[in-house]
Amino acid sequence: MQTIHNLELWLSWMDDLAEQDYVVIDDFIDNNLYKEIKNFLFENIDVFDRAGIGSLNQHTIKKNIRGDKTYWLNKERDTILKDFWNLLEETKSTLNRYCYLSLSGQEFHLAHYPSGGYYKRHLDQFEGRNNRMISMIIYLNDNWETENGGQLEILDKNKKLQLVEPIAKRCVLFKSDKVPHAVLKSFKDRYSLTGWLLYQPTSLGPLLG
């Protein structure tokens, strides 16, 4: 499989991830893949579900905590996104080799925050389930301006708040159990491809927030 990013770039990103628990990568995907994902999102947006929190029997809809809608991806069904799945394999392979992880699965969804949507500060781990190792977000927002809101708010290792603008083709990787984060209120439609790289495969994805 042809690699999408060269090793020098990956090593730089992995250094940042190891040092500060998160890394922000601009232009992580090219224009063709961006358009492919964005077109797929709009083709399926009518069947997005209201996102909840928790897993399995603890899964609940709480509009005071989050206000987005999601569409869970399936590698066997959503084959039109093959270039994205290849990028995920490259990402997992690099993390396994250079960060000494044992990633072997993933769960990903497309997310839509309508105007007024937000997600309060949280960690990407569930009580009793800790196989989410690395969180990964790819933003799908054209011509995003600061006044549109919707920033990813990260509480860093020094307890300082870092704001990440959700601009097109930007990727954020962070340690799922280490980085408290929130999505600030958005004042226009906000789109992303969001998911988790897992310590082991799971079939729980569509039931999770």
Side-chain angles (χ1 to χ4, degrees):
M1 181 178 67
Q2 183 177 4
T3 58
I4 297 171
H5 297 296
N6 66 51
L7 182 57
E8 184 178 359
L9 282 174
W10 273 120
L11 292 178
S12 174
W13 299 333
M14 296 304 98
D15 284 344
D16 288 343
L17 180 62
E19 180 178 345
Q20 61 189 18
D21 293 339
Y22 73 94
V23 59
V24 179
I25 306 167
D26 286 336
D27 294 315
F28 186 66
I29 58 176
D30 63 22
N31 288 331
N32 289 335
L33 181 53
Y34 179 77
K35 291 176 182 177
E36 185 177 282
I37 297 171
K38 196 77 177 282
N39 289 340
F40 183 85
L41 183 151
F42 283 119
E43 288 170 1
N44 291 280
I45 199 164
D46 289 341
V47 295
F48 277 38
D49 294 322
R50 175 72 66 180
I53 60 172
S55 62
L56 297 177
N57 61 323
Q58 297 177 328
H59 186 80
T60 57
I61 305 298
K62 292 191 176 181
K63 295 181 181 179
N64 62 324
I65 295 178
R66 66 185 297 183
D68 57 322
K69 295 182 178 181
T70 59
Y71 177 89
W72 286 92
L73 298 175
N74 182 291
K75 186 175 182 179
E76 285 69 38
R77 179 193 64 207
D78 302 322
T79 54
I80 195 171
L81 297 177
K82 59 179 174 50
D83 290 336
F84 166 68
W85 299 119
N86 288 339
L87 176 58
L88 274 191
E89 291 305 314
E90 179 177 320
T91 304
K92 286 188 295 183
S93 175
T94 304
L95 286 164
N96 285 341
R97 183 171 183 180
Y98 296 102
C99 296
Y100 306 104
L101 300 178
S102 298
L103 303 170
S104 55
Q106 69 271 328
E107 50 190 19
F108 274 80
H109 64 261
L110 295 165
H112 169 216
Y113 285 82
S115 181
Y118 61 93
Y119 196 163
K120 290 187 175 181
R121 188 180 299 166
H122 63 285
L123 282 173
D124 284 350
Q125 289 281 21
F126 296 125
E127 184 177 354
R129 179 179 177 230
N130 60 1
N131 66 333
R132 288 179 173 179
M133 302 293 289
I134 301 295
S135 300
M136 181 175 181
I137 307 167
I138 298 174
Y139 292 113
L140 307 170
N141 305 296
D142 298 321
N143 304 314
W144 195 266
E145 303 290 344
T146 298
E147 56 265 29
N148 299 143
Q151 292 87 358
L152 178 69
E153 181 188 76
I154 288 175
L155 184 65
D156 70 15
K157 296 170 71 171
N158 299 314
K159 305 302 181 184
K160 293 183 178 179
L161 294 176
Q162 307 293 337
L163 295 183
V164 180
E165 299 285 346
I167 64 174
K169 299 187 288 183
R170 171 174 284 172
C171 175
V172 184
L173 297 171
F174 58 89
K175 297 176 183 178
S176 300
D177 64 338
K178 300 289 187 183
V179 180
H181 59 285
V183 176
L184 302 186
K185 182 180 287 187
S186 180
F187 299 105
K188 64 181 291 188
D189 289 317
R190 176 190 186 275
Y191 304 101
S192 66
L193 197 168
T194 299
W196 301 273
L197 305 177
L198 308 177
Y199 176 67
Q200 58 188 8
T202 178
S203 60
L204 302 180
L207 300 176
L208 302 176

